[in-house]
Amino acid sequence: EVATLWALHVDITSGQILQQLHVTEFQTWGEMTRIFTWSSARQTFYYLEANFTAPAPSAGRPITLSRVDANTGGCTASIVSGATNFPTGFDFIESLDRIFMATEAYDGSKMTGYLYYSVDPVSAKATLLSSSSNQGPFAYAGYFHTTSTGDGSTLYRLGYADPTTSTGPGIGFTEVSNPSATTRWNTDVPVPSGHDFYISGNPFG
């Protein structure tokens, strides 16, 4: 839960906080706050969360898209249309003006995999791109961290193949350009001597 949320303007050279704005009207919907994604053009943070403050409807938990204005601290929210249930990963791509999102997929009460969407940040309309199971290499594919900047067709997950046991360090590539997603796991990710495995990463180029 979040008692108070702040939007900070920070000098990246000195680390000095230049401005601190209290964010109003932000809701966590019963979940812990995760990393926001960012639009430089709109100076806006985006956040997606399912509603865990009430029993899950038969159609799935509604998802809220929150938009935090970095210059005012104001927050506006919209219910996402076309998608439901817990967003396991999301990332905004400026050049495409879309948020790429994965959610848990269910058959009744049993989680069976992930659904992958692109979301319009203005209308909050989700478009289904692809789907996968949650077995084998797909077990944690929905927990991606970032997206290919060219066309949004590849989702990247840097971490462990099995996060529950911290085994199989590497990077996963999930292709969502076709209705059935494909995932491959690359363990050839060198780590500097004396350091644990990476916990985050961003694509460049």
Side-chain angles (χ1 to χ4, degrees), residues 15 17 63 93 112 146 152:
I17 296 175
I63 299 171
I93 299 300
T112 56
T146 190

Side-chain angles (χ1 to χ4, degrees), residues 14-31:
S14 67
Q16 179 184 0
I17 296 175
L18 305 176
Q19 188 176 25
Q20 181 171 299
L21 299 166
H22 180 213
V23 177
T24 59
E25 305 301 324
F26 178 73
Q27 295 278 349
T28 63
W29 300 107
E31 281 292 284

Side-chain angles (χ1 to χ4, degrees), residues 16 21 103 143 149:
Q16 179 184 0
L21 299 166
T103 68
Y143 287 85
T149 56

Side-chain angles (χ1 to χ4, degrees), residues 147-199:
T147 312
S148 58
T149 56
D151 58 5
S153 64
T154 305
L155 311 178
Y156 304 108
R157 183 174 77 85
L158 183 68
Y160 295 99
D162 187 347
T164 64
T165 59
S166 297
T167 55
I171 183 169
F173 303 82
T174 299
E175 303 291 338
V176 295
S177 55
N178 294 309
S180 294
T182 58
T183 287
R184 60 186 175 90
W185 190 257
N186 181 5
T187 58
D188 185 20
V189 183
V191 177
S193 177
H195 291 266
D196 292 330
F197 196 67
Y198 308 105
I199 58 173

Side-chain angles (χ1 to χ4, degrees), residues 57-90:
S58 58
R61 296 183 185 276
I63 299 171
T64 296
L65 168 62
S66 297
R67 312 173 190 86
V68 176
D69 188 320
N71 296 308
T72 66
C75 178
T76 59
S78 300
I79 299 296
V80 173
S81 62
T84 57
N85 290 321
F86 179 61
T88 51
F90 53 87

